[in-house]
Amino acid sequence: MEASLFPGQRGTAYTNLASTRVSLVGMSWRPQYRSSKFRNVYGKVANREHCFDGIPITKNVHDNHFCAVNARFLAIVTESAGGGSFLVIPLEQTGRIEPNYPKVCGHQGNVLDIKWNPFIDNIIASCSEDTSVRIWEIPEGGLKRNMTEALLELHGHSRRVGLVEWHPTTNNILFSAGYDYKVLIWNLDVGEPVKMIDCHTDVILCMSFNTDGSLLTTTCKDKKLRVIEPRSGRVLQEANCKTHRVNRVVFLGNMKRLLTTGVSRWNTRQIALWDQEDLSMPLIEEEIDGLSGLLFPFYDADTHMLYLAGKGDGNIRYYEISTEKPYLSYLMEFRSPAPQKGLGVMPKHGLDVSACEVFRFYKLVTLKGLIEPISMIVPRRSDSYQEDIYPMTPGTEPALTPDEWLGGVNRDPVLMSLKEGYKKSSKMVFKAPIKEKKSVVVNGIDLLENVPPRTENELLRMFFRQQDEIRRLKEELAQKDIRIRQLQLELKNLRNSPKNC
């Protein structure tokens, strides 16, 4: 050390070293831990007998979860020939699922997304490569035979539909995003699209709502993050993410913050926190790791916890989010050697509050055909109800009707206590409207008019449809020719009969 110093600098170096040592000693007594009731949250995997085994999970590479869960049913998109299908299994029916277990199989193309109605337990929406969105009603106790007839078929997209989302506070309002770069808002009371959001220039990757559903945020392949007023389709804020290529986005409850996951300019996985009213620059950016799988974010507004799960790896990291710097505090990581294809999340009213469970994932392990529940638990010694970790939470009653929301009304979710009301089931029933075949006009555009195919698969489907139509018309024409000849013969016989002479 001394030999490397120039003359006259030795005393200065010693002084700097001494001051550094003093400052380090002065800092060492101050703990660097944040006081948090969630610092010791841990993940607990269910026993094998409480898992769902023998399920042919879809091999589709679309970046979705392919899984949806509520307090009664688990739905999983499966691998199938001749169209898309998904399984619906009652939660109590754990263990090995039979290969011939009944499916929901009405789509003509692969199913790309499924979502349960937040207010009616047995209503589920699905979207598919066949360009349709369908609403299904699952019977009490689950399926006894294959279901091919949907309660409602929604046609309005000209290309495949990749995402569906239910409005968080309004009953029977559904959003769908297609590969035609459009978001359609459906009023299921009438079975028609009532609004179209047409501000995207590429495929929409993700949609998320704020707490009362008055704002919608989207990520898009055009590398832009948008905050949209859904009823008008007006873009309120837009970020052109050059250094942080966004993939997924989630609203952080009422914090007026957005969190995105994406890829940095060095191709490392990254998260960014944004102010929803100013998307010019992220508040913070944090690199996670150098893996390539997509990062799925999950946010729990009740505990202010953020979970990050990577597609293709088995780990789930979790953080606590605050409104003050440093905003994001790392808590812990759940580790597993089994890679996950997607994750379903149990709604709050379906959790086991007696075990201090604050979050539950349903992990899709494709290689094993296995669905594995993972409970996130706050360790507590007391068996009594823990009110500090279970505040009032959005329940199963809608705050608005479709007409109220479309008329401009915003209302916070109807809250419920998990102590007394979490076992109550919703008494709402879905009534499908009676529909007639007609054109679908939104914003002056007929959405069902002939649209030129953009891919080879679309061209083939259109070709086969036209071939079927030509074959049907030829058969109809041949039958009419036969009928014309019969009538001509009958007319000739009448003219030649003796009575007419």
Side-chain angles (χ1 to χ4, degrees):
M1 176 79 185
E2 292 184 8
S4 65
L5 293 173
F6 292 105
Q9 287 189 332
R10 189 174 301 167
T12 307
Y14 282 138
T15 305
N16 290 340
L17 283 170
S19 63
T20 304
R21 191 178 294 115
V22 169
S23 65
L24 287 172
V25 170
M27 289 173 60
S28 63
W29 62 269
R30 191 176 297 154
Q32 296 298 308
Y33 298 111
R34 284 182 73 252
S35 175
S36 170
K37 65 187 80 164
F38 303 109
R39 194 154 55 86
N40 296 314
V41 168
Y42 66 94
K44 182 181 178 183
V45 182
N47 296 330
R48 190 66 184 236
E49 60 266 23
H50 294 122
C51 296
F52 300 83
D53 200 0
I55 295 171
I57 300 167
T58 179
K59 294 182 174 64
N60 196 308
V61 296
H62 192 71
D63 284 330
N64 269 347
H65 294 294
F66 300 111
C67 177
V69 64
N70 64 15
R72 292 174 59 193
F73 297 107
L74 172 69
I76 312 106
V77 179
T78 60
E79 191 69 17
S80 62
S85 65
F86 58 95
L87 289 172
V88 176
I89 307 166
L91 284 183
E92 64 273 9
Q93 195 174 328
T94 55
R96 189 156 193 87
I97 304 301
E98 295 299 321
N100 57 350
Y101 194 87
K103 297 180 178 71
V104 179
C105 50
H107 282 288
Q108 277 80 51
N110 290 326
V111 175
L112 298 181
D113 197 13
I114 48 176
K115 294 281 165 55
W116 289 104
N117 187 318
F119 309 115
I120 309 175
D121 279 345
N122 64 333
I123 298 295
I124 189 169
S126 63
C127 62
S128 165
E129 289 183 348
D130 65 9
T131 74
S132 74
V133 177
R134 304 192 186 206
I135 310 299
W136 310 86
E137 183 176 26
I138 306 302
E140 293 292 325
L143 299 175
K144 301 292 185 252
R145 61 185 67 85
N146 283 354
M147 180 178 281
T148 56
E149 290 296 319
L151 202 60
L152 201 55
E153 289 187 25
L154 307 173
H155 296 277
H157 288 282
S158 59
R159 299 186 70 191
R160 58 181 171 166
V161 189
L163 293 169
V164 285
E165 289 287 346
W166 294 91
H167 192 275
T169 62
T170 309
N171 187 38
N172 286 349
I173 290 287
L174 183 72
F175 286 61
S176 63
Y179 276 60
D180 52 6
Y181 314 156
K182 294 176 177 61
V183 177
L184 294 184
I185 305 176
W186 304 86
N187 180 356
L188 302 187
D189 281 355
V190 296
E192 298 290 347
V194 288
K195 300 284 179 183
M196 179 172 68
I197 300 171
D198 192 14
C199 60
H200 300 86
T201 59
D202 210 324
V203 176
I204 300 146
L205 301 174
C206 183
M207 297 189 290
S208 177
F209 292 97
N210 65 344
T211 305
D212 64 2
S214 60
L215 295 176
L216 171 73
T217 180
T218 63
T219 57
C220 182
K221 268 193 175 178
D222 62 11
K223 301 179 184 176
K224 289 185 179 179
L225 171 67
R226 294 174 175 89
V227 175
I228 301 165
E229 203 292 308
R231 283 166 293 212
S232 65
R234 190 162 53 94
V235 178
L236 305 179
Q237 289 286 328
E238 186 175 281
N240 199 346
C241 307
K242 294 177 181 177
T243 60
H244 169 77
R245 295 201 307 275
V246 290
N247 288 321
R248 290 293 181 272
V249 61
V250 62
F251 259 107
L252 301 182
N254 285 325
M255 287 187 178
K256 295 194 173 179
R257 299 278 192 270
L258 303 172
L259 185 125
T260 58
T261 67
V263 181
S264 72
R265 64 176 70 182
W266 296 282
N267 282 337
T268 56
R269 294 199 293 192
Q270 190 181 48
I271 58 175
L273 188 69
W274 307 77
D275 182 344
Q276 76 178 37
E277 295 174 354
D278 181 11
L279 298 185
S280 57
M281 284 287 290
L283 297 173
I284 57 167
E285 287 181 344
E286 187 169 316
E287 293 192 6
I288 303 299
D289 56 32
L291 300 178
S292 60
L294 184 73
L295 272 180
F296 292 115
F298 303 90
Y299 180 66
D300 181 0
D302 296 342
T303 61
H304 304 298
M305 284 180 67
L306 171 75
Y307 300 87
L308 293 179
K311 184 177 179 181
D313 52 89
N315 303 347
I316 301 173
R317 298 171 176 86
Y318 36 106
Y319 301 77
E320 192 168 14
I321 292 182
S322 61
T323 53
E324 299 172 356
K325 289 184 178 180
Y327 303 121
L328 205 63
S329 303
Y330 175 77
L331 294 173
M332 215 179 287
E333 182 174 352
F334 167 80
R335 294 177 178 271
S336 168
Q340 57 224 4
K341 184 180 182 69
L343 294 157
V345 174
M346 174 64 76
K348 267 297 173 78
H349 60 272
L351 299 179
D352 183 2
V353 296
S354 64
C356 295
E357 184 184 34
V358 291
F359 216 74
R360 190 191 304 164
F361 293 101
Y362 284 77
K363 173 178 169 177
L364 275 63
V365 186
T366 312
L367 298 175
K368 300 179 182 178
L370 184 70
I371 312 295
E372 196 174 59
I374 302 169
S375 298
M376 310 308 292
I377 294 172
V378 178
R380 294 281 172 95
R381 291 179 180 176
S382 173
D383 292 333
S384 61
Y385 179 72
Q386 308 291 314
E387 290 196 26
D388 61 325
I389 61 174
Y390 295 115
M392 296 284 282
T393 191
T396 56
E397 298 296 324
L400 293 167
T401 64
D403 290 339
E404 286 174 328
W405 184 77
L406 291 167
V409 181
N410 294 320
R411 202 172 290 158
D412 285 332
V414 178
L415 302 180
M416 66 188 291
S417 168
L418 297 185
K419 183 178 183 179
E420 298 164 354
Y422 80 102
K423 291 294 183 188
K424 291 180 183 175
S425 59
S426 175
K427 295 178 181 178
M428 297 191 67
V429 177
F430 182 83
K431 292 182 180 178
I434 298 169
K435 292 181 66 178
E436 296 177 4
K437 273 284 184 184
K438 59 180 181 179
S439 61
V440 177
V441 179
V442 178
N443 297 358
I445 301 170
D446 187 353
L447 299 174
L448 296 183
E449 66 184 355
N450 290 326
V451 178
R454 302 189 192 184
T455 65
E456 189 178 343
N457 282 339
E458 287 181 14
L459 184 65
L460 282 171
R461 278 202 296 272
M462 185 174 284
F463 171 75
F464 288 129
R465 275 202 302 269
Q466 288 175 345
Q467 290 295 306
D468 289 340
E469 182 71 8
I470 290 168
R471 194 178 300 112
R472 186 184 65 76
L473 290 171
K474 281 182 176 178
E475 288 173 359
E476 202 173 303
L477 196 60
Q479 288 172 356
K480 286 182 177 177
D481 281 343
I482 293 169
R483 182 62 180 152
I484 287 168
R485 288 196 206 99
Q486 287 175 343
L487 290 172
Q488 285 175 338
L489 190 61
E490 287 176 14
L491 188 60
K492 189 176 180 180
N493 290 338
L494 281 171
R495 284 174 180 168
N496 295 333
S497 63
K499 292 180 182 178
N500 294 330
C501 293

